[in-house]
Amino acid sequence: MHLITKIQLFAKVKQALSQKLYGDSKITSMDGSDRQSQDSWLLLSTWLQRIGHTKIRSVSLGWIILAGFVFGIMTMTGLLSYSGSAPINLIYLLLVYGPLQWLLMVLALLSVSLQGKGLAVTRWLSGQKFLQTFPAFFYRWLLFWLNQWLSLSFLLGSLAAFLLLLVSQDLAFGWSTTIAFAPEHITDVLHILSTPWASWWPQATISPELVSGTQFFRLQGVQGNYDATLFGQWWTFILAFILTYNLLPRGLLLLLSQLMMITRVNALLYQDAEVFQLIDDLKPVVVETGSHRDAHYQTASEPKTRVSHGGYEPDAALLLWGLSAEDLKHLHLYERCQKAIQLTDHLDVSTQTKFTLMVPGWEPPIAELTDLLERFPAASVQLLLMPLGQQLDEADIASWQMFSDSLQQIERLSVWSDEEPVS
């Protein structure tokens, strides 16, 4: 099953579960032969077909690729259009397919590497109905993945338009700038840029004669003692520049996002409590999702960790994850939480073995928290879910219960209650 198909399938399953499109029972429409399937994705697909689920409005990778390709053609065609009175300005063309593209790549990487919800555009997109279906650990990489497909298709459209116009028209390239750059300075910069391909494609390098002979001035145009043949020799450098500094990094970013998406798409099946429970209902055996952590999970009907209601253990060190002391200011344990420590990679836990970890109960656990807890295997951890004005439903608690079952460090799972005394 293709990656985009799995993404859309998960969104449809979540919509069906939220709207209860299956009626009174999730499994009434599934017969015995369908439930014997060992592939969870095929099982969910069959279930959606049985309940007659309508299509959800979702992303279409084909339309994204087509839109990027067409926009790339339009952009390159606009940049290469000229009236004949002056050559195409090489500097403007290189800026669009050089520094501008590098800036977009850096922003895309920052959108998935920054803590919190990322850049403003990522926060805005995360509010869209389709993306709200997915947990935070997933949709940011989904946006990054789609961005790489869009950008790569834009680049391929640009290259197609460039090669077509190169064959069908007599393109003239030159360079002109208001700032008084000496030709030798431009030559030095372009020599450095040509280093990656200079040894195996010398035709795509430039010479001082080419740089000085193709400098033009706006008011002068191309009138003067110019060698017209020089203006057509820039195309090999432009092609090598786009291939090296645009196509290559975009391809690497797409490969990175593809690998990350494969692991995160499969993680959706056990990170989401509702979907995990549905698969458990449809298949009478332990769910196999392909993750190295699956062996630690038990069926949701037989949890290892029992849920209790109450407060924190007085003799345990208090840790916070996803919360701050300010978040807890309306509770009577605020004074103690001011001394709590944030659970991070840099936390030294060697002097303590008993902890109470306070987490936002309405947010699903993510792999980052697992990595942090696995740093101190000999510890005894009480996991305390904090509602903070948002009532926790069964799905929230079930998600944390499955998470607790996967880690031997967690010995107790509790839900904070103001009505019960602190233990």
Side-chain angles (χ1 to χ4, degrees), residues 6-140:
K6 291 182 179 180
I7 296 172
Q8 294 176 339
L9 176 59
F10 179 85
K12 293 176 184 178
V13 170
K14 288 291 292 182
Q15 184 193 49
L17 291 173
S18 63
Q19 298 180 0
K20 297 189 181 299
L21 300 178
Y22 45 80
D24 296 332
S25 174
K26 297 186 182 75
I27 59 175
T28 53
S29 57
M30 296 286 290
D31 55 36
S33 59
D34 291 329
R35 297 178 63 194
Q36 293 302 316
S37 172
Q38 296 299 308
D39 186 274
S40 300
W41 292 106
L42 292 178
L43 193 64
L44 292 175
S45 178
T46 304
W47 177 72
L48 286 175
Q49 295 174 12
R50 295 296 189 197
I51 66 175
H53 178 53
T54 57
K55 293 183 177 180
I56 185 176
R57 185 180 179 183
S58 58
V59 296
S60 175
L61 188 58
W63 284 110
I64 290 177
I65 294 175
L66 179 61
F69 191 82
V70 172
F71 185 61
I73 292 177
M74 295 172 58
T75 301
M76 182 61 78
T77 302
L79 291 173
L80 297 185
S81 62
Y82 71 106
S83 60
S85 60
I88 301 167
N89 197 339
L90 180 71
I91 293 180
Y92 187 62
L93 182 65
L94 296 183
L95 286 176
V96 171
Y97 286 93
L100 178 59
Q101 298 302 317
W102 304 337
L103 176 62
L104 294 177
M105 294 181 201
V106 171
L107 292 177
L109 288 171
L110 288 176
S111 68
V112 295
S113 59
L114 290 177
Q115 296 296 325
K117 291 188 175 181
L119 301 176
V121 65
T122 306
R123 294 196 297 269
W124 177 80
L125 288 173
S126 64
Q128 305 306 304
K129 183 177 180 181
F130 175 70
L131 290 176
Q132 286 180 334
T133 307
F134 304 97
F137 82 93
F138 180 81
Y139 72 72
R140 285 165 61 179

Side-chain angles (χ1 to χ4, degrees), residues 94-255:
L94 296 183
L95 286 176
V96 171
Y97 286 93
L100 178 59
Q101 298 302 317
W102 304 337
L103 176 62
L104 294 177
M105 294 181 201
V106 171
L107 292 177
L109 288 171
L110 288 176
S111 68
V112 295
S113 59
L114 290 177
Q115 296 296 325
K117 291 188 175 181
L119 301 176
V121 65
T122 306
R123 294 196 297 269
W124 177 80
L125 288 173
S126 64
Q128 305 306 304
K129 183 177 180 181
F130 175 70
L131 290 176
Q132 286 180 334
T133 307
F134 304 97
F137 82 93
F138 180 81
Y139 72 72
R140 285 165 61 179
W141 277 103
L142 173 60
L143 291 175
F144 182 79
W145 180 66
L146 294 176
N147 174 266
Q148 300 318 307
W149 276 111
L150 179 65
S151 301
L152 191 62
S153 59
F154 167 83
L155 175 59
L156 293 177
S158 299
L159 287 173
F162 178 76
L163 294 176
L164 180 61
L165 292 175
L166 193 67
V167 174
S168 61
Q169 296 185 16
D170 182 17
L171 300 180
F173 299 97
W175 65 278
S176 178
T177 176
T178 306
I179 303 175
F181 286 126
E184 54 268 21
H185 295 158
I186 300 294
T187 303
D188 293 339
V189 173
L190 297 182
H191 269 151
I192 296 174
L193 293 175
S194 304
T195 302
W197 63 82
S199 60
W200 58 272
W201 194 4
Q203 296 83 358
T205 58
I206 52 92
S207 62
E209 294 77 18
L210 178 62
V211 175
S212 59
T214 55
Q215 182 181 13
F216 68 96
F217 300 92
R218 182 176 60 87
L219 296 179
Q220 182 181 1
V222 294
Q223 303 299 322
N225 298 322
Y226 290 110
D227 184 356
T229 60
L230 291 177
F231 289 88
Q233 296 179 12
W234 279 103
W235 73 269
T236 53
F237 173 82
I238 297 173
L239 180 60
F241 178 87
I242 296 177
L243 292 177
T244 303
Y245 295 107
N246 210 324
L247 180 64
L248 180 60
R250 282 294 182 189
L252 293 177
L253 288 180
L254 178 60
L255 178 61

Side-chain angles (χ1 to χ4, degrees), residues 151-371:
S151 301
L152 191 62
S153 59
F154 167 83
L155 175 59
L156 293 177
S158 299
L159 287 173
F162 178 76
L163 294 176
L164 180 61
L165 292 175
L166 193 67
V167 174
S168 61
Q169 296 185 16
D170 182 17
L171 300 180
F173 299 97
W175 65 278
S176 178
T177 176
T178 306
I179 303 175
F181 286 126
E184 54 268 21
H185 295 158
I186 300 294
T187 303
D188 293 339
V189 173
L190 297 182
H191 269 151
I192 296 174
L193 293 175
S194 304
T195 302
W197 63 82
S199 60
W200 58 272
W201 194 4
Q203 296 83 358
T205 58
I206 52 92
S207 62
E209 294 77 18
L210 178 62
V211 175
S212 59
T214 55
Q215 182 181 13
F216 68 96
F217 300 92
R218 182 176 60 87
L219 296 179
Q220 182 181 1
V222 294
Q223 303 299 322
N225 298 322
Y226 290 110
D227 184 356
T229 60
L230 291 177
F231 289 88
Q233 296 179 12
W234 279 103
W235 73 269
T236 53
F237 173 82
I238 297 173
L239 180 60
F241 178 87
I242 296 177
L243 292 177
T244 303
Y245 295 107
N246 210 324
L247 180 64
L248 180 60
R250 282 294 182 189
L252 293 177
L253 288 180
L254 178 60
L255 178 61
L256 170 65
S257 63
Q258 186 79 11
L259 295 176
M260 298 299 292
M261 282 295 295
I262 290 175
T263 59
R264 278 159 172 74
V265 163
N266 291 329
L268 286 174
L269 295 181
Y270 60 84
Q271 289 281 4
D272 188 278
E274 288 185 319
V275 177
F276 186 90
Q277 183 64 58
L278 173 61
I279 296 175
D280 187 67
D281 291 340
L282 297 178
K283 188 172 7 179
V285 295
V286 178
V287 179
E288 295 288 341
T289 62
S291 170
H292 68 280
R293 293 168 53 203
D294 291 347
H296 299 292
Y297 281 97
Q298 301 177 7
T299 60
S301 58
E302 297 180 358
K304 171 181 72 68
T305 309
R306 300 299 176 180
V307 181
S308 62
H309 291 263
Y312 55 83
E313 298 183 9
D315 58 340
L318 193 59
L319 300 176
L320 298 178
W321 185 82
L323 296 171
S324 65
E326 288 297 321
D327 295 328
L328 309 173
K329 61 184 178 181
H330 64 288
L331 303 179
H332 60 267
L333 72 161
Y334 176 59
E335 294 296 330
R336 186 179 185 214
C337 287
Q338 285 184 311
K339 301 178 182 179
I341 304 174
Q342 290 288 340
L343 180 59
T344 64
D345 290 325
H346 307 293
L347 177 62
D348 183 11
V349 296
S350 59
T351 59
Q352 185 79 17
T353 58
K354 197 171 186 180
F355 300 92
T356 293
L357 176 60
M358 302 178 71
V359 298
W362 64 90
E363 291 189 359
I366 60 176
E368 176 189 358
L369 181 56
T370 302
D371 296 336

